Amino acid sequence: PPTPVNTFRLRLVTDCALAALEPGATPVRHGSCGGSDDDPEGLRRPWPATALLTDGTRLDVDLVVAAAGVDPAPCVDWLPLDTFPRGADGGVAVDECQRALGGGGSVFVAGDAASSCRSDDPSHHWFQMRLWGQARASGTYAARVMVGEADELALGFNFELFTHTTSFFGQKVILLGLYNGQKLEHEPPADVVMYSRSEYDPAPVFIRVLLLRGRMMGAVLIGDTGLEETFENLILDGIDLSRFGAQLLDPDVDIEDFFD
């Protein structure tokens, strides 16, 4: 028999927030008690939870995904604005040594409170995203600068290329470089090309690369692709890949062997 397909309804609500989450009844099958006219197979079950919104709406839900952003402004509003300039995102503007652009050069800012000047430089494949890994790297680097063990020439690989590894629904996710076109907004659209490939056998895999005038600028890798190191080198080396086109992601081409 055909495999049943689960469907869902997407509803976007932008003018309220989640106020509370109430547990529902224990999920049960009604089949043991007989079906109803609109549920002859007895497959319907109570929702496991109910979401209460700030406008009073109650939504029965199967799954709630909570996400939180980071706003640096409230964390640094005690610093005088005329002394410590802010970046576009509200963080304290810092130079390449994590030194605040105000305060006479004696104040260092790292992590979520900082707004890095490197994030705006289109020649770099790195940009600032308020992640724990970046906060740790910038804090460590600032400390080394403060004690005289490093300078702007000792930035290291942590600031060469944006990299982030996480998991989503059990799948490994790797983000490299300007994976979503960050800092490329002003480039001619004809110069920016994206190629993608997805497969589900023997395991789910998704690969997407972004090229600017033939040179790889970023990539998204989901699943066990084995291409993260190869793509990292391609981004940093700036090799012109124009002649490959979409074959760059051809599963029959051992791209990692070719460039490694």
Side-chain angles (χ1 to χ4, degrees), residues 56-254:
T57 302
R58 300 174 68 87
L59 297 175
D60 293 324
V61 297
D62 271 315
L63 174 69
V64 174
V65 179
V70 179
D71 182 2
C75 301
V76 298
D77 57 3
W78 58 277
L79 290 171
L81 187 60
D82 55 347
T83 304
F84 298 96
R86 305 295 200 263
D89 57 8
V92 177
V94 297
D95 61 15
E96 292 196 347
C97 290
Q98 299 296 139
R99 184 183 290 108
L101 298 185
S106 60
V107 176
F108 290 79
V109 185
D112 295 343
S115 181
S116 174
C117 64
R118 288 178 61 85
S119 196
D120 300 324
D121 189 342
S123 66
H124 293 146
H125 297 102
W126 182 90
F127 63 93
Q128 184 175 9
M129 183 180 289
R130 287 177 165 80
L131 303 167
W132 160 239
Q134 284 196 4
R136 179 178 56 187
S138 64
T140 301
Y141 175 62
R144 294 183 61 209
V145 173
M146 292 171 67
V147 298
E149 293 185 359
D151 55 21
E152 64 274 9
L153 300 179
L155 281 171
F157 66 90
N158 287 314
F159 300 93
E160 272 189 317
L161 176 71
F162 174 86
T163 60
H164 182 56
T165 302
T166 184
S167 63
F168 187 72
F169 282 92
Q171 296 296 318
K172 180 172 65 175
V173 179
I174 297 177
L175 308 176
L176 298 175
L178 312 181
Y179 66 92
N180 204 31
Q182 295 89 344
K183 303 199 288 188
L184 303 180
E185 297 86 355
H186 303 296
E187 296 289 348
D191 290 349
V192 181
V193 178
M194 285 195 298
Y195 300 114
S196 64
R197 172 171 68 88
S198 59
E199 59 186 47
Y200 300 94
D201 186 22
V205 167
F206 175 81
I207 304 170
R208 188 185 73 188
V209 296
L210 186 148
L211 282 71
L212 174 65
R213 289 184 282 277
R215 289 170 170 78
M216 190 178 296
M217 304 298 290
V220 176
L221 306 173
I222 301 177
D224 293 321
T225 66
L227 292 171
E228 48 266 33
E229 184 175 352
T230 299
F231 284 178
E232 181 178 338
N233 291 331
L234 288 177
I235 294 172
L236 292 174
D237 293 344
I239 298 174
D240 189 349
L241 305 170
S242 302
R243 62 193 178 100
F244 292 95
Q247 287 187 323
L248 187 65
L249 302 183
D250 190 331
D252 295 327
V253 177
D254 293 328

Side-chain angles (χ1 to χ4, degrees), residues 18-30:
L18 179 66
L21 190 63
E22 301 174 352
T26 302
V28 298
R29 289 178 60 93
H30 292 301

